[in-house]
Amino acid sequence: MPLSRQGDERTSRPPLLEIVVPAFNEEGRLPRGLMQLCAKLARMPFPTAVIVVDNNSTDRTAEVVKTWPPGPVPVRLVQCAISGKGAAVRAGLLGTTAPFAGFCDADMATDLSAVDTALRLLLSGEPVVIGSRAHEDSVVENRHSRVRELGAYGFRALAGVLVPGVSDTQCGFKFFDGVLVREAAAALRTPGFAFDVELLARCAGQGSRVREIPVRWRDMPGSRFSPARHTFGIVLELGRIWLRLRVQPRTAVRPAWEPPLDPVGTPLDPVGYP
Ligand SMILES: Nc1nc2c(ncn2[C@@H]2O[C@H](COP(=O)(O)OP(=O)(O)O)[C@@H](O)[C@H]2O)c(=O)[nH]1
Ligand SMILES: [Mg+2]
């Protein structure tokens, strides 16, 4: 089938999976990242969509998205007035409607082959599937400074109290049952880099298992994260999450997953899906 017709058909049907990409001053890394993501998603046998969430970037991030050429994977822009990666991911997730939703970073530090594993697990009924650099089968190319490594160690120890059993809360590659994550995102209050911890704690608090999967992960140049500028704020965020989860009752969520519709006419076999 010609690509344009394939595009028409796919984009006219609701997506099965939507991926949120938070992006702040990413004119340098976003075009390549979006190209990789769209190429990967275009090979999936069902409709998908991408939502880029910008926080009033001072560079051409928004223009990159606005001028993105139409194709089989629609890319749309959401503007988030509240700054921070957490606020941006929350806004993006709340803008999704698909049965499955997730997010990844603009630098595509996590190899996108993990999307296949994540989808297969979601289709088999896992509600939360996250990339984990601590998984024994992960391949991690890390170029973080010693200071950042030390900070990450401390962060893991504190985060472990809030989401016991999850060994890497911070990999920017997480996929969820759509209903579950929209409920968790609606309650999410952490605007900064520690938001993953609150999001996972909320999903786990609703009785959902968190499944960690191996990833190929490469630290990409151009990180927005600065240990000097962000460490204090992150520790504060973790403290606030702890307080929030202690005082807020955790509600039970209804069974989140139902066999997905068949959006492209190909039977979606939850077990046999490649
Ligand atoms: N919209 C938005 N995205 C952000 C913000 N801070 C970080 N991000 C995005 O979060 C992702 C991860 O950021 P990155 O700088 O690569 O951090 P690192 O991988 O943890 O070193 C990238 O897609 C960033 O553009 C923010 O304040 N707003
Ligand atoms: Mg990065």
Side-chain angles (χ1 to χ4, degrees):
M1 191 188 296
L3 199 63
S4 57
R5 255 199 63 206
Q6 220 179 50
D8 288 350
E9 207 159 288
R10 289 171 64 114
T11 48
S12 65
R13 311 191 73 176
L16 181 74
L17 169 70
E18 284 172 289
I19 299 188
V20 173
V21 181
F24 182 66
N25 286 347
E26 289 284 8
E27 71 171 12
R29 304 193 298 178
L30 188 61
R32 186 166 176 267
L34 271 184
M35 212 137 71
Q36 288 175 348
L37 184 60
C38 290
K40 171 70 191 168
L41 295 179
R43 292 195 296 272
M44 297 251 158
F46 46 74
T48 52
V50 173
I51 300 173
V52 178
V53 188
D54 177 33
N55 278 129
N56 299 316
S57 290
T58 50
D59 68 359
R60 293 191 66 259
T61 297
E63 278 68 37
V64 169
V65 184
K66 284 184 198 158
T67 57
W68 197 255
V73 180
V75 178
R76 71 186 164 95
L77 178 71
V78 164
Q79 281 290 358
C80 176
I82 308 166
S83 16
K85 182 181 177 184
V89 171
R90 176 179 188 269
L93 290 173
L94 290 178
T96 64
T97 53
F100 302 117
F103 59 88
C104 67
D105 292 345
D107 58 12
M108 303 298 145
T110 303
D111 190 282
L112 290 169
S113 57
V115 175
D116 298 327
T117 317
L119 238 296
R120 190 169 61 242
L121 289 167
L122 289 171
L123 284 165
S124 74
E126 292 282 352
V128 182
V129 183
I130 66 170
S132 171
R133 291 161 296 184
H135 194 289
E136 60 177 5
D137 296 330
S138 288
V139 179
V140 176
E141 207 180 289
N142 207 343
R143 289 173 308 167
H144 286 163
S145 65
R146 278 278 168 86
V147 180
R148 185 161 172 176
E149 279 301 298
L150 201 68
Y153 182 81
F155 184 94
R156 276 197 295 277
L158 292 173
V161 176
L162 294 161
V163 272
V166 178
S167 49
D168 181 9
T169 57
Q170 295 315 107
C171 183
F173 187 86
K174 295 186 170 65
F175 290 84
F176 307 83
D177 171 275
V179 174
L180 172 74
V181 79
R182 286 186 281 274
E183 272 191 43
L188 183 66
R189 291 290 171 268
T190 307
F193 276 99
F195 79 96
D196 307 63
V197 174
E198 185 181 351
L199 191 63
L200 293 176
R202 290 195 179 280
C203 292
Q206 288 168 341
S208 298
R209 186 163 90 134
V210 177
R211 176 79 180 261
E212 292 187 85
I213 60 169
V215 287
R216 296 180 74 87
W217 189 87
R218 209 149 64 94
D219 181 30
M220 304 299 263
S223 168
R224 309 256 89 78
F225 184 84
S226 146
R229 274 186 296 122
H230 293 118
T231 299
F232 179 70
I234 282 185
V235 172
L236 210 62
E237 281 191 336
L238 287 175
R240 288 199 179 120
I241 295 169
W242 182 76
L243 280 176
R244 221 172 276 139
L245 295 177
R246 259 171 59 101
V247 296
Q248 277 181 14
R250 294 171 187 186
T251 51
V253 77
R254 61 184 168 277
W257 189 83
E258 283 172 19
L261 303 173
D262 165 17
V264 284
T266 326
L268 280 169
D269 172 7
V271 181
Y273 179 75

